[in-house]
């Protein structure tokens, strides 16, 4: 038989465990809320998806991107890897380069307003590196999974942190990629 003291101790530990689970859940909820998706984010992501559709029509991988500052579109682009025969012509890279040239700056750390990048697919490792160097402050991602088997390393050692939120209009991105794969499989 279990003594009443041990029984009460087990009961107390279970209560503490439940409280810890509740606290962790609240912390996760609040951290997600802090970089949540707004109506403005949805509006710009729809524009990024229009760019992705343009890429698909041009027989490129359907990825689109939009960069904003103060809720104004600074630049937008779509994937052009196939048509330009240039592996650097990813939507995110093209968009960021356009914005930097338009603003005549080296990176977005040079301006006080925060740059937000909307991209329809989780950036590959190459694009993530470029995003970090460009000092984009926030990324809103459509389909939140890597397109290629990229190496997702712990980047906690970096001094520059990017806030990232994903999962916006996943169904649209899935349909676009299915269309792209069907067309390319027929080749």
């Amino acid at each position: 038989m279990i003594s009443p003291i041990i029984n009460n101790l087990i009961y107390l530990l279970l209560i503490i465990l439940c409280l810890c689970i509740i606290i962790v859940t609240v912390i996760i909820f609040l951290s997600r809320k802090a970089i949540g998706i707004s109506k403005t984010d949805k509006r710009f992501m729809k524009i990024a998806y229009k760019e992705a559709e343009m890429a698909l029509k041009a027989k490129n991988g359907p990825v689109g991107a939009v960069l904003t500052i103060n809720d104004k579109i600074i630049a937008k682009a779509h994937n052009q890897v196939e048509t330009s025969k240039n592996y650097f012509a990813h939507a995110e890279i093209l968009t960021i380069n356009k914005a930097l040239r338009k603003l005549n700056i080296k990176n977005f750390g040079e301006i006080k307003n925060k740059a937000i990048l909307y991209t329809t697919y989780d950036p590959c490792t190459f694009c993530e590196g470029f995003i970090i160097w460009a000092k984009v402050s926030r990324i809103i991602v459509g389909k939140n999974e890597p397109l290629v088997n990229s190496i997702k390393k712990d980047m906690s050692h970096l001094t520059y942190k990017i806030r990232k939120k994903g999962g916006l209009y996943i169904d649209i991105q899935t349909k676009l990629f299915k269309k792209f794969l069907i067309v390319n499989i027929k080749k």
Side-chain angles (χ1 to χ4, degrees):
M1 295 249 11
I2 300 175
S3 74
I5 294 173
I6 294 176
N7 201 16
N8 286 340
L9 187 59
I10 292 171
Y11 181 71
L12 182 63
L13 287 173
L14 285 173
I15 291 173
I16 291 171
L17 179 64
C18 287
L19 287 173
C20 288
I21 291 170
I22 290 169
I23 290 170
V24 168
T25 304
V26 167
I27 290 170
I28 290 171
F29 176 77
L30 291 176
S31 67
R32 286 184 180 167
K33 199 83 165 147
I35 59 166
I37 303 294
S38 69
K39 287 181 182 178
T40 304
D41 292 334
K42 290 178 182 178
R43 180 170 50 100
F44 291 129
M45 186 58 83
K46 284 181 182 177
I47 296 168
Y49 276 112
K50 286 181 183 173
E51 287 290 325
E53 288 170 356
M54 290 170 57
L56 182 63
K57 286 177 185 170
K59 300 192 180 353
N60 289 294
V63 179
V66 174
L67 190 129
T68 67
I69 296 174
N70 291 338
D71 295 336
K72 288 184 183 175
I73 295 175
I74 304 301
K76 59 185 178 176
H78 56 271
N79 185 7
Q80 298 175 25
V81 171
E82 299 299 324
T83 52
S84 69
K85 308 229 183 303
N86 179 352
Y87 287 109
F88 298 110
H90 294 207
E92 299 90 345
I93 303 294
L94 295 172
T95 302
I96 291 169
N97 274 331
K98 277 184 185 179
L100 292 173
R101 279 194 307 271
K102 185 175 183 176
L103 298 171
N104 195 28
I105 56 175
K106 178 181 167 187
N107 64 51
F108 298 108
E110 295 180 30
I111 57 175
K112 69 176 185 173
N113 301 318
K114 303 297 179 190
I116 301 174
L117 180 69
Y118 298 85
T119 180
T120 58
Y121 216 98
D122 202 3
C124 68
T125 304
F126 173 65
C127 289
E128 279 186 352
F130 194 77
I131 290 164
I132 290 168
W133 283 106
K135 298 190 185 230
V136 172
S137 61
R138 185 171 175 227
I139 308 172
I140 305 295
V141 177
K143 191 157 175 98
N144 199 12
E145 64 182 47
L147 177 59
V148 294
N149 291 331
S150 62
I151 302 165
K152 296 290 181 180
K153 293 183 179 178
D154 175 23
M155 296 194 186
S156 60
H157 66 285
L158 295 172
T159 55
Y160 186 77
K161 304 289 184 219
I162 298 173
R163 296 183 309 158
K164 185 176 180 181
K165 180 71 177 175
L168 193 56
Y169 302 122
I170 295 171
D171 55 331
I172 297 171
Q173 186 62 36
T174 302
K175 286 177 190 173
L176 289 173
F177 258 97
K178 282 181 182 175
K179 287 179 185 176
F180 175 70
L181 293 174
I182 289 168
V183 168
N184 286 314
I185 288 171
K186 288 180 181 178
K187 285 184 180 180

